[in-house]
Amino acid sequence: MKIKLTDEEKELELSFERNEWKSVSNRKSYLNKFKIAAKNTLAKDKRMNIRIAGKDIQLLKTKALEIGIPYQTLVSSILHQYVTGKLKE
């Protein structure tokens, strides 16, 4: 039985086959940074619903995929960094 891939999965597969993926040199430090961010965003006790442009959601999903976290976690992390004054350009 063949599994049907989504367009996003097909693009990822093609990207991998084109050798576009590169390992990060400081993998342990890189992963630790995002583990901390994820841990800080896991203590969620309130819900927030917003409307956002589909294009922006797709870009968020792409960025999240690049760093290996769910896009909701990325959004939560960005908001947390912003309200705590830690968000840097």
Side-chain angles (χ1 to χ4, degrees):
M1 181 174 172
K2 188 171 182 178
I3 297 173
K4 185 175 180 182
L5 299 177
T6 65
D7 289 342
E8 184 178 7
E9 290 169 329
K10 289 175 189 173
E11 181 56 37
L12 286 172
E13 187 176 50
L14 289 172
S15 174
F16 182 77
E17 289 170 355
R18 290 189 300 254
N19 226 8
E20 295 174 346
W21 294 39
K22 306 290 181 227
S23 295
V24 290
S25 59
N26 54 348
R27 183 178 183 270
K28 189 173 183 177
S29 171
Y30 193 76
L31 288 176
N32 191 46
K33 173 182 163 183
F34 292 107
K35 283 180 184 179
I36 291 169
K39 183 179 178 185
N40 289 336
T41 60
L42 288 177
K44 301 172 191 154
D45 60 351
K46 299 291 181 193
R47 182 179 199 92
M48 181 176 140
N49 295 317
I50 62 171
R51 295 191 65 77
I52 186 168
K55 186 175 181 177
D56 290 339
I57 289 177
Q58 189 56 48
L59 290 169
L60 282 165
K61 287 181 177 182
T62 300
K63 287 289 184 186
L65 187 62
E66 288 172 1
I67 58 177
I69 62 174
Y71 79 97
Q72 297 96 332
T73 302
L74 175 61
V75 171
S76 181
S77 177
I78 292 167
L79 290 172
H80 175 75
Q81 290 176 45
Y82 176 76
V83 299
T84 59
K86 296 176 184 173
L87 188 64
K88 307 288 184 213
E89 275 197 52

